[in-house]
Coordinates of all heavy atoms in Angstrom, one line a residue:
S1 N 0.8 -1.2 0.0 CA 0.0 0.0 0.0 C 1.0 1.2 0.0 O 2.1 1.2 0.4 CB -1.0 0.0 1.1 OG -0.6 0.6 2.3
L2 N 0.3 2.4 -0.5 CA 1.0 3.6 -0.4 C 0.1 4.7 0.0 O -1.0 4.8 -0.4 CB 1.4 3.9 -2.0 CG 2.0 5.3 -2.3 CD1 3.4 5.4 -1.7 CD2 2.0 5.6 -3.8
T3 N 0.6 5.6 0.9 CA -0.2 6.6 1.5 C 0.5 7.9 1.2 O 1.7 8.1 1.5 CB -0.4 6.5 3.0 OG1 -1.0 5.2 3.3 CG2 -1.3 7.5 3.6
L4 N -0.2 8.9 0.8 CA 0.2 10.3 0.6 C -0.6 11.2 1.5 O -1.9 11.0 1.5 CB 0.1 10.8 -0.8 CG 1.0 9.9 -1.9 CD1 0.6 10.5 -3.2 CD2 2.4 10.1 -1.5
Q5 N -0.1 12.2 2.2 CA -0.9 13.0 3.1 C -0.4 14.4 3.0 O 0.8 14.8 2.9 CB -0.5 12.4 4.5 CG -1.3 13.0 5.7 CD -1.1 12.2 6.9 OE1 -1.3 11.0 7.0 NE2 -0.7 12.9 8.0
L6 N -1.4 15.4 3.1 CA -1.1 16.7 3.1 C -1.9 17.3 4.3 O -3.2 17.1 4.4 CB -1.6 17.4 1.8 CG -1.6 18.9 1.7 CD1 -0.1 19.4 1.7 CD2 -2.3 19.4 0.5
N7 N -1.1 18.0 5.2 CA -1.7 18.6 6.4 C -1.5 20.2 6.3 O -0.4 20.6 6.2 CB -1.1 18.0 7.6 CG -1.8 18.3 8.9 OD1 -2.8 18.9 8.9 ND2 -1.4 17.8 10.0
K8 N -2.5 20.9 6.3 CA -2.5 22.3 6.3 C -3.2 22.9 7.5 O -4.4 22.7 7.7 CB -3.2 22.8 4.9 CG -3.2 24.3 4.7 CD -1.8 24.7 4.2 CE -1.9 26.1 3.9 NZ -0.6 26.8 3.7
R9 N -2.5 23.8 8.3 CA -3.1 24.5 9.4 C -3.2 25.9 9.1 O -2.2 26.5 8.5 CB -2.2 24.3 10.7 CG -2.1 22.8 11.1 CD -1.2 22.7 12.3 NE -1.1 21.3 12.8 CZ -1.9 20.9 13.6 NH1 -3.0 21.4 14.1 NH2 -1.8 19.5 13.9
Q10 N -4.4 26.5 9.3 CA -4.5 28.0 9.0 C -5.6 28.5 9.9 O -6.2 27.8 10.6 CB -4.8 28.2 7.5 CG -5.9 27.4 7.0 CD -6.0 27.6 5.4 OE1 -5.4 28.5 4.9 NE2 -6.7 26.7 4.8
K11 N -5.8 29.8 9.8 CA -6.8 30.5 10.6 C -8.2 29.9 10.4 O -9.1 30.0 11.4 CB -6.8 32.0 10.3 CG -5.7 32.7 10.8 CD -5.8 34.2 10.5 CE -4.6 34.9 10.9 NZ -4.6 36.4 10.8
L12 N -8.5 29.4 9.2 CA -9.8 28.9 9.0 C -10.0 27.4 9.4 O -11.0 26.8 9.1 CB -10.1 29.0 7.5 CG -10.1 30.3 6.8 CD1 -10.3 30.3 5.3 CD2 -11.3 31.1 7.5
G13 N -9.1 26.9 10.1 CA -9.1 25.5 10.6 C -8.0 24.7 10.1 O -7.1 25.1 9.4
N14 N -8.0 23.4 10.5 CA -7.0 22.4 10.0 C -7.6 21.5 9.0 O -8.6 20.9 9.2 CB -6.5 21.6 11.2 CG -6.0 22.6 12.4 OD1 -5.3 23.5 12.0 ND2 -6.3 22.3 13.5
F15 N -6.8 21.4 7.9 CA -7.2 20.5 6.9 C -6.2 19.3 6.7 O -5.0 19.5 6.8 CB -7.2 21.2 5.5 CG -8.3 22.2 5.4 CD1 -7.9 23.5 5.7 CD2 -9.6 21.9 4.9 CE1 -9.0 24.5 5.7 CE2 -10.5 22.9 4.7 CZ -10.2 24.3 5.1
L16 N -6.7 18.1 6.5 CA -5.8 16.9 6.2 C -6.4 16.2 5.2 O -7.6 15.8 5.2 CB -5.7 16.0 7.5 CG -5.0 14.7 7.3 CD1 -3.6 14.9 7.0 CD2 -5.2 13.8 8.5
L17 N -5.7 16.0 4.0 CA -6.1 15.3 2.9 C -5.2 14.1 2.8 O -4.0 14.2 2.8 CB -5.9 16.2 1.5 CG -6.6 15.6 0.3 CD1 -8.0 15.4 0.4 CD2 -6.2 16.6 -0.8
K18 N -5.8 12.9 2.6 CA -5.0 11.6 2.7 C -5.4 10.8 1.5 O -6.6 10.5 1.3 CB -5.2 10.9 4.0 CG -4.4 9.8 4.3 CD -4.7 9.5 5.8 CE -3.9 8.1 6.2 NZ -4.3 7.7 7.5
L19 N -4.5 10.2 0.8 CA -4.7 9.3 -0.4 C -4.0 8.0 0.0 O -2.8 8.0 0.2 CB -4.2 9.9 -1.7 CG -4.3 9.0 -2.9 CD1 -5.7 8.7 -3.2 CD2 -3.5 9.6 -4.0
R20 N -4.8 6.9 -0.1 CA -4.2 5.6 0.2 C -4.6 4.7 -1.0 O -5.7 4.6 -1.4 CB -4.7 5.0 1.4 CG -4.2 3.7 1.8 CD -4.4 3.2 3.2 NE -5.9 3.2 3.5 CZ -6.4 2.0 3.8 NH1 -5.9 0.9 3.9 NH2 -7.8 2.0 4.1
H21 N -3.6 4.0 -1.5 CA -3.8 3.0 -2.6 C -3.3 1.6 -2.1 O -2.2 1.5 -1.5 CB -3.1 3.3 -3.9 CG -3.1 2.3 -4.9 ND1 -4.3 2.1 -5.6 CD2 -2.3 1.3 -5.3 CE1 -4.1 1.0 -6.4 NE2 -2.9 0.5 -6.2
V22 N -4.1 0.6 -2.3 CA -3.8 -0.8 -1.9 C -3.8 -1.6 -3.2 O -4.8 -1.7 -3.8 CB -4.8 -1.3 -0.8 CG1 -4.4 -2.7 -0.5 CG2 -4.7 -0.4 0.5
D23 N -2.7 -2.2 -3.5 CA -2.7 -3.2 -4.6 C -3.5 -4.5 -4.3 O -3.8 -4.7 -3.2 CB -1.2 -3.6 -4.9 CG -0.5 -2.5 -5.7 OD1 -1.1 -1.7 -6.3 OD2 0.7 -2.5 -5.4
K24 N -3.8 -5.2 -5.3 CA -4.5 -6.5 -5.2 C -3.6 -7.5 -4.5 O -2.4 -7.5 -4.7 CB -4.8 -7.0 -6.6 CG -5.7 -8.2 -6.6 CD -6.2 -8.5 -8.0 CE -5.5 -9.7 -8.7 NZ -6.1 -10.0 -9.9
F25 N -4.2 -8.2 -3.5 CA -3.5 -9.2 -2.7 C -4.4 -10.3 -2.3 O -5.6 -10.2 -2.2 CB -2.7 -8.6 -1.5 CG -3.7 -8.0 -0.5 CD1 -4.0 -8.9 0.7 CD2 -4.1 -6.8 -0.6 CE1 -4.8 -8.4 1.6 CE2 -5.0 -6.3 0.5 CZ -5.3 -7.0 1.5
D26 N -3.8 -11.5 -2.1 CA -4.6 -12.7 -1.5 C -4.7 -12.6 0.0 O -3.7 -12.2 0.7 CB -3.9 -14.0 -2.0 CG -4.1 -14.2 -3.5 OD1 -5.0 -13.8 -4.1 OD2 -3.1 -14.8 -4.0
W27 N -5.9 -12.9 0.5 CA -6.1 -12.7 1.9 C -6.7 -14.1 2.4 O -7.7 -14.6 1.8 CB -7.0 -11.6 2.2 CG -7.2 -11.2 3.7 CD1 -6.5 -10.4 4.5 CD2 -8.2 -11.7 4.5 NE1 -6.9 -10.4 5.6 CE2 -8.0 -11.1 5.7 CE3 -9.3 -12.5 4.4 CZ2 -8.8 -11.3 6.8 CZ3 -10.1 -12.8 5.5 CH2 -9.8 -12.1 6.7
A28 N -6.4 -14.6 3.5 CA -6.9 -15.9 4.0 C -6.8 -15.8 5.6 O -5.9 -15.4 6.1 CB -6.2 -17.0 3.6
D29 N -7.9 -16.2 6.2 CA -8.0 -16.3 7.7 C -9.0 -17.4 8.0 O -10.2 -17.2 8.0 CB -8.4 -14.9 8.3 CG -8.6 -15.0 9.8 OD1 -7.8 -15.7 10.4 OD2 -9.2 -14.2 10.4
G30 N -8.5 -18.6 8.4 CA -9.4 -19.7 8.8 C -10.2 -20.2 7.6 O -9.7 -20.5 6.6
T31 N -11.5 -20.1 7.7 CA -12.4 -20.5 6.6 C -12.6 -19.4 5.6 O -13.1 -19.7 4.5 CB -13.7 -20.8 7.2 OG1 -14.3 -19.8 7.9 CG2 -13.7 -22.0 8.1
W32 N -12.2 -18.2 5.8 CA -12.4 -17.1 4.9 C -11.1 -17.0 4.0 O -10.0 -16.9 4.5 CB -12.6 -15.8 5.6 CG -13.9 -15.8 6.4 CD1 -13.9 -16.0 7.8 CD2 -15.1 -15.7 6.0 NE1 -15.2 -15.9 8.2 CE2 -16.1 -15.8 7.1 CE3 -15.8 -15.5 4.7 CZ2 -17.4 -15.7 7.0 CZ3 -17.2 -15.3 4.7 CH2 -18.0 -15.4 5.8
G33 N -11.3 -16.7 2.7 CA -10.1 -16.5 1.9 C -10.6 -15.9 0.6 O -11.7 -16.1 0.2
G34 N -9.7 -15.2 -0.1 CA -10.0 -14.6 -1.4 C -9.1 -13.5 -1.7 O -8.0 -13.4 -1.1
T35 N -9.4 -12.8 -2.7 CA -8.6 -11.6 -3.2 C -9.2 -10.3 -2.8 O -10.4 -10.0 -2.9 CB -8.4 -11.6 -4.8 OG1 -7.9 -12.9 -5.1 CG2 -7.5 -10.6 -5.2
I36 N -8.3 -9.4 -2.3 CA -8.7 -8.1 -1.8 C -8.1 -7.1 -2.9 O -7.0 -7.3 -3.3 CB -8.2 -7.7 -0.5 CG1 -8.7 -8.7 0.6 CG2 -8.5 -6.3 -0.1 CD1 -10.1 -8.6 0.9
G37 N -8.8 -6.0 -3.2 CA -8.3 -4.9 -4.0 C -8.2 -5.2 -5.5 O -8.7 -6.3 -5.9
P38 N -7.6 -4.3 -6.2 CA -7.1 -3.1 -5.7 C -8.1 -2.0 -5.4 O -9.2 -2.1 -6.0 CB -6.1 -2.7 -6.8 CG -6.8 -3.1 -8.1 CD -7.5 -4.4 -7.6
Y39 N -7.7 -1.1 -4.6 CA -8.6 0.1 -4.3 C -7.8 1.4 -3.9 O -6.6 1.2 -3.4 CB -9.7 -0.3 -3.2 CG -9.2 -0.7 -1.9 CD1 -8.9 0.3 -0.9 CD2 -8.9 -2.0 -1.6 CE1 -8.5 0.0 0.4 CE2 -8.5 -2.3 -0.3 CZ -8.2 -1.5 0.7 OH -7.8 -1.7 1.9
S40 N -8.4 2.5 -4.1 CA -7.8 3.7 -3.7 C -8.8 4.5 -2.9 O -10.0 4.6 -3.3 CB -7.4 4.6 -4.9 OG -6.4 3.9 -5.6
I41 N -8.3 5.2 -1.8 CA -9.2 5.9 -0.9 C -8.7 7.3 -0.8 O -7.5 7.5 -0.5 CB -9.3 5.2 0.5 CG1 -9.8 3.8 0.4 CG2 -10.1 6.1 1.4 CD1 -9.8 3.1 1.6
L42 N -9.6 8.3 -0.9 CA -9.3 9.7 -0.6 C -10.1 10.1 0.6 O -11.4 10.1 0.6 CB -9.6 10.6 -1.8 CG -9.3 12.1 -1.7 CD1 -7.8 12.3 -1.5 CD2 -9.8 12.8 -2.9
D43 N -9.4 10.6 1.6 CA -10.0 11.0 2.9 C -9.8 12.5 3.1 O -8.7 12.9 2.8 CB -9.5 10.3 4.1 CG -9.8 8.8 4.1 OD1 -10.7 8.3 3.4 OD2 -9.1 8.0 4.8
L44 N -10.8 13.2 3.6 CA -10.6 14.7 4.0 C -11.1 14.8 5.4 O -12.2 14.3 5.9 CB -11.6 15.5 3.1 CG -11.6 17.0 3.4 CD1 -10.2 17.6 3.2 CD2 -12.6 17.6 2.5
H45 N -10.2 15.5 6.2 CA -10.5 15.7 7.6 C -10.4 17.2 7.8 O -9.4 17.9 7.3 CB -9.5 15.0 8.6 CG -9.4 13.6 8.3 ND1 -10.3 12.7 9.0 CD2 -8.6 12.8 7.6 CE1 -9.9 11.4 8.6 NE2 -9.0 11.6 7.8
Y46 N -11.3 17.9 8.5 CA -11.3 19.3 8.8 C -11.8 19.5 10.2 O -12.7 18.9 10.6 CB -12.3 20.0 7.8 CG -12.4 21.5 8.2 CD1 -11.4 22.4 7.9 CD2 -13.6 22.0 8.7 CE1 -11.6 23.7 8.2 CE2 -13.8 23.3 9.1 CZ -12.7 24.2 8.9 OH -12.9 25.4 9.2
N47 N -11.0 20.4 10.9 CA -11.5 20.8 12.3 C -11.2 22.2 12.5 O -10.3 22.8 11.9 CB -10.9 19.8 13.3 CG -9.5 19.9 13.5 OD1 -8.8 21.0 13.6 ND2 -8.8 18.7 13.3
F48 N -12.1 22.8 13.4 CA -12.0 24.3 13.6 C -12.4 24.5 15.1 O -13.4 23.9 15.5 CB -13.0 25.0 12.6 CG -13.1 26.4 12.8 CD1 -11.9 27.2 12.3 CD2 -14.1 27.0 13.4 CE1 -12.0 28.6 12.5 CE2 -14.1 28.4 13.5 CZ -13.1 29.2 13.0
D49 N -11.7 25.4 15.7 CA -12.1 25.8 17.1 C -13.1 26.9 17.0 O -12.7 28.0 16.6 CB -10.9 26.2 17.8 CG -9.8 25.1 18.1 OD1 -10.2 23.9 18.0 OD2 -8.7 25.4 18.3
L50 N -14.3 26.6 17.4 CA -15.3 27.6 17.3 C -15.1 28.7 18.4 O -15.5 29.8 18.3 CB -16.8 27.0 17.4 CG -17.1 26.1 16.2 CD1 -18.4 25.3 16.6 CD2 -17.3 26.9 15.0
S51 N -14.6 28.2 19.5 CA -14.3 29.1 20.7 C -13.2 28.4 21.4 O -12.6 27.3 21.0 CB -15.5 29.3 21.6 OG -15.8 28.1 22.2
D52 N -12.8 28.9 22.6 CA -11.8 28.3 23.4 C -12.2 26.9 23.9 O -11.5 26.1 24.3 CB -11.4 29.2 24.6 CG -10.7 30.4 24.2 OD1 -10.0 30.4 23.1 OD2 -10.6 31.3 25.0
Y53 N -13.5 26.7 23.9 CA -14.1 25.5 24.5 C -14.9 24.6 23.6 O -15.1 23.4 23.9 CB -15.0 25.8 25.7 CG -14.2 26.6 26.7 CD1 -14.5 28.0 26.9 CD2 -13.4 26.0 27.5 CE1 -13.8 28.8 27.9 CE2 -12.7 26.7 28.5 CZ -12.9 28.1 28.7 OH -12.2 28.8 29.6
L54 N -15.3 25.1 22.4 CA -16.2 24.4 21.4 C -15.4 24.1 20.2 O -14.8 25.0 19.6 CB -17.5 25.2 21.2 CG -18.5 24.5 20.3 CD1 -19.0 23.2 20.9 CD2 -19.7 25.5 20.1
K55 N -15.5 22.8 19.8 CA -14.7 22.4 18.6 C -15.6 21.8 17.6 O -16.6 21.2 18.0 CB -13.6 21.4 18.9 CG -12.8 21.8 20.1 CD -11.4 21.7 19.9 CE -10.6 22.2 21.2 NZ -10.2 23.5 21.1
F56 N -15.4 22.0 16.3 CA -16.2 21.4 15.2 C -15.2 20.6 14.3 O -14.2 21.0 14.0 CB -16.9 22.5 14.5 CG -17.4 22.0 13.2 CD1 -18.6 21.3 13.1 CD2 -16.8 22.3 11.9 CE1 -19.1 20.9 11.9 CE2 -17.2 21.8 10.8 CZ -18.5 21.1 10.7
G57 N -15.8 19.4 13.8 CA -15.0 18.7 12.9 C -15.8 17.9 11.9 O -17.0 17.6 12.2
I58 N -15.3 17.7 10.7 CA -16.0 16.9 9.7 C -15.0 16.0 9.1 O -13.8 16.4 8.9 CB -16.8 17.7 8.6 CG1 -17.5 16.8 7.7 CG2 -15.8 18.7 7.9 CD1 -18.5 17.5 6.8
T59 N -15.3 14.8 8.9 CA -14.4 13.8 8.2 C -15.2 13.1 7.1 O -16.3 12.6 7.4 CB -14.0 12.7 9.3 OG1 -13.2 13.3 10.3 CG2 -13.1 11.6 8.6
A60 N -14.6 13.1 6.0 CA -15.2 12.3 4.8 C -14.2 11.3 4.4 O -13.1 11.6 3.9 CB -15.5 13.3 3.7
M61 N -14.6 10.0 4.8 CA -13.7 8.9 4.4 C -14.2 8.2 3.1 O -15.4 8.2 2.9 CB -13.7 7.9 5.6 CG -13.1 8.5 6.8 SD -12.9 7.5 8.3 CE -13.9 6.1 8.0
N62 N -13.2 7.9 2.2 CA -13.5 7.3 0.9 C -14.5 8.3 0.1 O -15.5 7.9 -0.4 CB -14.2 6.0 1.1 CG -14.2 5.1 -0.2 OD1 -13.7 5.6 -1.1 ND2 -14.8 4.0 -0.2
L63 N -13.9 9.5 0.0 CA -14.7 10.6 -0.5 C -15.1 10.3 -2.0 O -16.3 10.7 -2.4 CB -13.8 11.8 -0.6 CG -14.4 13.1 -0.8 CD1 -15.4 13.5 0.3 CD2 -13.3 14.2 -0.8
L64 N -14.4 9.6 -2.8 CA -14.7 9.2 -4.1 C -15.6 7.9 -4.3 O -16.0 7.5 -5.3 CB -13.5 9.0 -5.0 CG -12.6 10.3 -5.0 CD1 -11.3 10.0 -5.8 CD2 -13.4 11.5 -5.5
D65 N -16.1 7.4 -3.0 CA -17.0 6.3 -2.9 C -16.5 5.1 -3.7 O -17.3 4.4 -4.4 CB -18.4 6.7 -3.4 CG -19.4 5.8 -2.9 OD1 -19.2 5.1 -1.8 OD2 -20.5 5.6 -3.5
D66 N -15.1 4.7 -3.6 CA -14.7 3.5 -4.2 C -15.0 2.3 -3.4 O -14.3 2.0 -2.4 CB -13.0 3.6 -4.3 CG -12.4 2.5 -5.0 OD1 -13.1 1.3 -5.3 OD2 -11.2 2.5 -5.2
R67 N -16.1 1.6 -3.7 CA -16.6 0.6 -2.9 C -15.7 -0.7 -3.0 O -15.5 -1.1 -4.1 CB -18.1 0.3 -3.3 CG -19.0 1.4 -3.0 CD -20.5 1.2 -3.4 NE -21.2 2.4 -3.2 CZ -22.0 2.4 -2.1 NH1 -22.2 1.4 -1.4 NH2 -22.7 3.5 -1.8
H68 N -15.4 -1.2 -1.8 CA -14.4 -2.3 -1.8 C -14.5 -3.1 -0.4 O -15.1 -2.5 0.5 CB -13.0 -1.8 -2.0 CG -12.6 -0.8 -0.9 ND1 -12.9 0.5 -0.8 CD2 -11.9 -1.0 0.3 CE1 -12.4 1.0 0.4 NE2 -11.8 0.1 1.0
R69 N -13.9 -4.1 -0.3 CA -13.8 -5.0 1.0 C -12.3 -4.8 1.4 O -11.4 -4.8 0.6 CB -14.1 -6.4 0.8 CG -15.5 -6.6 0.5 CD -15.8 -8.2 0.5 NE -17.2 -8.4 -0.1 CZ -18.3 -8.4 0.7 NH1 -18.2 -8.1 1.9 NH2 -19.4 -8.7 0.1
E70 N -12.1 -4.6 2.7 CA -10.8 -4.6 3.2 C -10.3 -5.9 3.9 O -9.2 -6.1 4.2 CB -10.6 -3.4 4.2 CG -10.7 -2.1 3.5 CD -10.5 -0.9 4.4 OE1 -10.1 -1.0 5.5 OE2 -10.7 0.2 3.8
L71 N -11.3 -6.8 3.9 CA -11.0 -8.2 4.3 C -12.2 -9.1 3.9 O -13.3 -8.6 3.7 CB -10.9 -8.4 5.9 CG -12.0 -7.9 6.8 CD1 -12.8 -9.1 7.3 CD2 -11.3 -7.3 8.0
I72 N -11.9 -10.3 3.6 CA -13.0 -11.3 3.1 C -13.9 -11.5 4.3 O -13.5 -11.8 5.4 CB -12.3 -12.5 2.6 CG1 -11.3 -12.3 1.5 CG2 -13.3 -13.6 2.2 CD1 -11.9 -11.7 0.3
G73 N -15.2 -11.5 4.0 CA -16.2 -11.7 5.1 C -16.5 -10.4 5.7 O -17.5 -10.3 6.5
G74 N -15.9 -9.2 5.3 CA -16.2 -8.0 6.0 C -17.2 -7.2 5.1 O -17.5 -7.5 4.1
A75 N -17.5 -6.1 5.6 CA -18.6 -5.2 5.0 C -17.9 -4.6 3.7 O -16.6 -4.3 3.6 CB -18.9 -4.1 6.0
I76 N -18.7 -4.2 2.8 CA -18.3 -3.4 1.6 C -18.2 -2.0 2.1 O -19.1 -1.4 2.6 CB -19.3 -3.6 0.5 CG1 -19.3 -5.0 -0.1 CG2 -18.9 -2.5 -0.7 CD1 -20.3 -5.2 -1.2
M77 N -17.0 -1.4 1.9 CA -16.7 0.0 2.5 C -17.1 1.0 1.4 O -16.5 0.9 0.3 CB -15.3 0.1 2.8 CG -14.8 -1.0 3.9 SD -15.7 -0.8 5.5 CE -15.0 0.6 6.1
G78 N -17.9 1.8 1.7 CA -18.3 3.0 0.8 C -18.0 4.3 1.5 O -17.2 4.4 2.5
R79 N -18.4 5.4 1.0 CA -18.2 6.8 1.5 C -18.8 6.9 2.9 O -20.0 6.3 3.1 CB -18.8 7.8 0.6 CG -18.6 9.2 1.2 CD -19.3 10.3 0.3 NE -18.9 10.2 -1.1 CZ -19.7 9.9 -2.2 NH1 -21.0 9.7 -1.9 NH2 -19.2 9.7 -3.4
Q80 N -18.2 7.5 3.9 CA -18.7 7.7 5.2 C -18.4 9.2 5.6 O -17.3 9.7 5.4 CB -18.0 6.8 6.2 CG -18.2 5.3 6.0 CD -17.5 4.5 7.0 OE1 -17.3 5.0 8.1 NE2 -17.0 3.4 6.6
V81 N -19.4 9.9 6.0 CA -19.2 11.3 6.4 C -19.6 11.5 7.9 O -20.8 10.9 8.3 CB -19.9 12.3 5.5 CG1 -19.8 13.7 6.0 CG2 -19.6 12.1 4.0
M82 N -18.8 12.1 8.7 CA -19.1 12.2 10.1 C -18.9 13.7 10.5 O -17.9 14.3 10.1 CB -18.2 11.3 11.0 CG -18.4 9.8 10.7 SD -17.1 8.8 11.3 CE -15.9 8.9 10.0
L83 N -19.7 14.2 11.3 CA -19.7 15.5 11.9 C -19.5 15.3 13.4 O -20.0 14.4 14.1 CB -21.0 16.3 11.7 CG -21.4 16.7 10.3 CD1 -22.7 17.4 10.3 CD2 -20.3 17.6 9.8
E84 N -18.7 16.2 13.9 CA -18.2 16.2 15.4 C -18.3 17.6 15.9 O -17.8 18.5 15.4 CB -17.0 15.6 15.5 CG -16.5 15.4 16.9 CD -15.1 14.9 17.1 OE1 -14.4 14.7 16.1 OE2 -14.6 14.7 18.3
F85 N -19.0 17.6 17.1 CA -18.9 18.8 18.0 C -18.4 18.3 19.3 O -18.8 17.4 19.8 CB -20.3 19.5 18.1 CG -20.8 20.2 17.0 CD1 -21.6 19.6 16.0 CD2 -20.4 21.5 16.7 CE1 -22.1 20.3 14.9 CE2 -20.8 22.2 15.6 CZ -21.7 21.6 14.7
G86 N -17.5 19.1 19.8 CA -16.9 18.7 21.1 C -16.7 19.9 22.1 O -16.5 21.0 21.6
L87 N -16.6 19.6 23.3 CA -16.2 20.6 24.4 C -14.9 20.2 24.9 O -14.5 19.0 25.1 CB -17.3 20.6 25.4 CG -18.7 21.0 25.1 CD1 -19.6 20.8 26.2 CD2 -18.6 22.5 24.7
S88 N -14.1 21.2 25.3 CA -12.8 20.9 25.9 C -12.5 21.9 27.0 O -13.2 23.0 27.0 CB -11.7 20.9 24.9 OG -11.5 22.1 24.4
E89 N -11.6 21.7 27.8 CA -11.3 22.6 28.9 C -10.2 23.5 28.6 O -9.3 23.1 27.9 CB -11.1 21.9 30.2 CG -12.2 21.1 30.7 CD -12.0 20.5 32.1 OE1 -11.3 21.2 32.9 OE2 -12.4 19.4 32.3

């Protein structure tokens, strides 16, 4: 697998862009076995401090919706988007 990452911090928040490519490979575990990949994933992470105590974040994983399995018997992975609000001291 190959991973490229760009991390940018600025006044408008923190951005992280991550690209991961996994070549085709054989996978086996007990009764499960088969071929995984190839697949490529583009992830975007953003977070911003709304105040000294309130934080906001959004993560978009598999942004291009490259549907794939990461293990035999596992779920088909598609795009996932998550929002987060948090408090800190």
Side-chain angles (χ1 to χ4, degrees):
S1 92
L2 172 69
T3 302
L4 301 173
Q5 185 170 306
L6 174 65
N7 194 356
K8 181 75 172 167
R9 296 178 182 272
Q10 52 187 345
K11 289 182 181 180
L12 296 176
N14 301 319
F15 294 89
L16 173 64
L17 188 63
K18 190 173 172 181
L19 174 66
R20 181 169 59 117
H21 175 76
V22 176
D23 283 333
K24 185 166 109 172
F25 66 96
D26 292 328
W27 188 87
D29 180 23
T31 59
W32 300 99
T35 301
I36 301 290
Y39 59 88
S40 297
I41 299 174
L42 181 64
D43 296 338
L44 174 65
H45 306 273
Y46 171 75
N47 60 58
F48 181 74
D49 294 339
L50 296 170
S51 71
D52 289 340
Y53 304 104
L54 184 60
K55 315 230 180 266
F56 165 78
I58 184 168
T59 297
M61 298 182 341
N62 195 1
L63 195 58
L64 303 176
D65 201 27
D66 182 352
R67 294 174 180 262
H68 64 278
R69 291 187 193 273
E70 296 187 4
L71 57 97
I72 301 298
I76 294 175
M77 306 296 288
R79 180 184 306 120
Q80 299 176 33
V81 178
M82 294 165 281
L83 293 174
E84 177 182 7
F85 286 94
L87 298 172
S88 65
E89 293 186 43

